[in-house]
Amino acid sequence: MEITAKTLPTFIIGNPISHSKSPVFQNAAFNHCNINSVYLAINIEKNDFEAVIAGLKKINIFGMNITIPYKVDILKYVDELSEDAKLIGAVNTIEVLNGNWVGHNTDWYGVYKTLELNKLSPSQDCLIIGAGGATNGVIYGLQQYGVKNIAITNRTKDKAELIKDQFNIDLIDFEEYKSKIKNYSLIINTTSIDFNKLVDSFLEDKTYFDLKYYSGKIDMPNYIDGKIMLLYQGAKAFEIWTKQEAPIEIMQKAMEG
Ligand code: ATR
C-alpha cells in the first residue's frame, strides 16, 4: 500500500530491539491486507521511557507492541486493560480505541498455539526454568491449554515465589531442579541463557520448549523453539488492531525469509 499522509504508524518499543522480526512480518501482513499502516521498531533508553510514551500518547498511532523490558512498565500508561493482561500482569499489545490505549497480552496465545500445533497433551507435567518478563504469559498460556501440573524454578528464588503464588503452581529450588527434572515431561526455558546450559542432556521422552527463536540449532524432534510463539502473538496483535483474520502464511514466510 502506498504510504501517504493518512498512513498511521504502528510501533514496537523495547531495548534492545534491532534483532526483532516483528517489523518484517507485520509489514508483510499490513501490505497483504491493504492496511494503511507501517510498523516500525523504536529502541528506548530506560531514562527516556516516560517522555517517549508521553509523546506517543499525543500522536495518532494505529497500534503498538511492547517488548522486553517494558511489558510491565507500560501498565501505568494504559487507560484500560483486557482480562488476559490483567491476569498476566503485563502488556505486549496496545489497541487504540476512541483515542484510549487498551492494553492486551497476546504472548500467552503464542504459547497456547505452540502446544496445540505440536499436538502436546494438556496432561503434561511441566517445569518452567526462569522467572523473567515472559514467564507469566507462558504460565497463563499453559493453564488456558489445560496443563495442571506446573512447577517453576529460578536462580533468584523471590521472583519465582511471587509467580508461584500468583498462579498457584509449585516451586522447586534452583539447586535441586536438575535432580527432579526426571519427574517432568515438558521443560520450558524462559531464561535468557541457552537450554544446554540448563540441562545435562536432552532426553527423548521429554519435550523441550525454548522461548528464544534464534536458538533452534538443537536438532531434535522434541525440541521446540520460539518461532510459533512469536508468530502467533503477532497474529493475535494484528487481529486486535485490524479486526480481521491474520494472514498467517504470509507472516510466517516473511519471518523465515
Ligand atoms: P526479561 O527481560 O526477560 O524479563 P529478566 O527479567 O532479566 O529478563 O529474566 C531473565 C531470566 O533469566 C531470569 O529468570 C534470570 O534469573 P534471575 O531472576 O535469577 O536473574 C534468568 N537468568 C539470566 N541469567 C542466568 C544465569 N546465568 N543462570 C540462571 N538464570 C539466569
Side-chain angles (χ1 to χ4, degrees):
M1 186 150 199
E2 194 190 359
I3 296 175
T4 68
K6 292 202 171 112
T7 306
L8 291 179
T10 301
F11 294 115
I12 178 165
I13 57 169
N15 187 350
I17 198 73
S18 59
H19 67 283
S20 173
K21 295 264 187 203
S22 295
V24 172
F25 67 72
Q26 292 291 7
N27 281 315
F30 285 166
N31 277 331
H32 182 79
C33 299
N34 274 321
I35 306 294
N36 197 2
S37 178
V38 280
Y39 187 104
L40 297 166
I42 17 183
N43 191 73
I44 307 180
E45 296 304 329
K46 198 96 187 168
N47 286 339
D48 299 331
F49 185 72
E50 189 157 3
V52 175
I53 296 300
L56 289 174
K57 291 206 102 169
K58 297 258 183 219
I59 64 170
N60 205 2
I61 63 171
F62 186 63
M64 190 156 78
N65 277 141
I66 299 92
T67 188
I68 288 164
Y70 299 124
K71 291 183 192 188
V72 176
D73 297 333
I74 196 73
L75 282 173
K76 66 174 193 242
Y77 301 96
V78 301
D79 303 298
E80 281 172 57
L81 274 181
S82 74
E83 203 54 30
D84 297 332
K86 225 179 275 174
L87 291 168
I88 292 168
V91 162
N92 79 322
T93 301
I94 300 270
E95 173 192 19
V96 183
L97 202 61
N98 306 320
N100 283 340
W101 281 14
V102 184
H104 296 261
N105 190 303
T106 68
D107 286 332
W108 74 268
Y109 182 71
V111 174
Y112 186 101
K113 290 299 287 187
T114 302
L115 301 172
E116 185 183 76
L117 293 173
N118 282 285
K119 299 189 171 68
L120 295 182
S121 156
S123 55
Q124 301 273 345
D125 298 311
C126 176
L127 175 66
I128 295 168
I129 310 174
T135 308
N136 290 21
V138 170
I139 297 171
Y140 188 76
L142 286 165
Q143 291 183 333
Q144 291 294 310
Y145 194 70
V147 179
K148 294 203 167 50
N149 188 11
I150 303 172
I152 187 168
T153 188
N154 191 51
R155 181 180 61 177
T156 308
K157 194 172 177 179
D158 293 0
K159 281 160 77 180
E161 210 136 33
L162 285 175
I163 295 176
K164 164 195 171 259
D165 292 341
Q166 184 178 344
F167 292 97
N168 196 19
I169 59 175
D170 296 328
L171 175 65
I172 294 182
D173 279 342
F174 198 67
E175 292 71 35
E176 284 179 13
Y177 82 84
K178 281 192 181 172
S179 66
K180 294 193 169 161
I181 220 161
K182 59 180 179 303
N183 302 330
Y184 295 91
S185 52
L186 172 62
I187 324 291
I188 305 183
N189 175 19
T190 74
T191 77
S192 44
I193 64 174
D194 285 347
F195 225 142
N196 49 18
K197 293 201 179 106
L198 296 168
V199 294
D200 294 331
S201 58
F202 291 97
L203 304 171
E204 274 177 22
D205 62 340
K206 300 188 187 306
T207 305
Y208 298 87
F209 173 23
D210 198 339
L211 262 48
K212 291 191 273 301
Y213 64 84
Y214 47 85
S215 64
K217 291 168 201 118
I218 296 169
D219 192 15
M220 284 181 48
N222 54 348
Y223 185 86
I224 303 167
D225 70 12
K227 273 201 206 88
I228 296 175
M229 181 177 169
L230 177 73
L231 186 63
Y232 279 90
Q233 65 73 33
K236 191 82 166 173
F238 177 95
E239 291 176 355
I240 287 169
W241 300 321
T242 65
K243 314 287 179 253
Q244 46 178 283
E245 200 179 321
I248 281 288
E249 280 168 24
I250 299 285
M251 295 171 88
Q252 184 163 11
K253 233 168 119 186
M255 186 177 101
E256 289 171 356

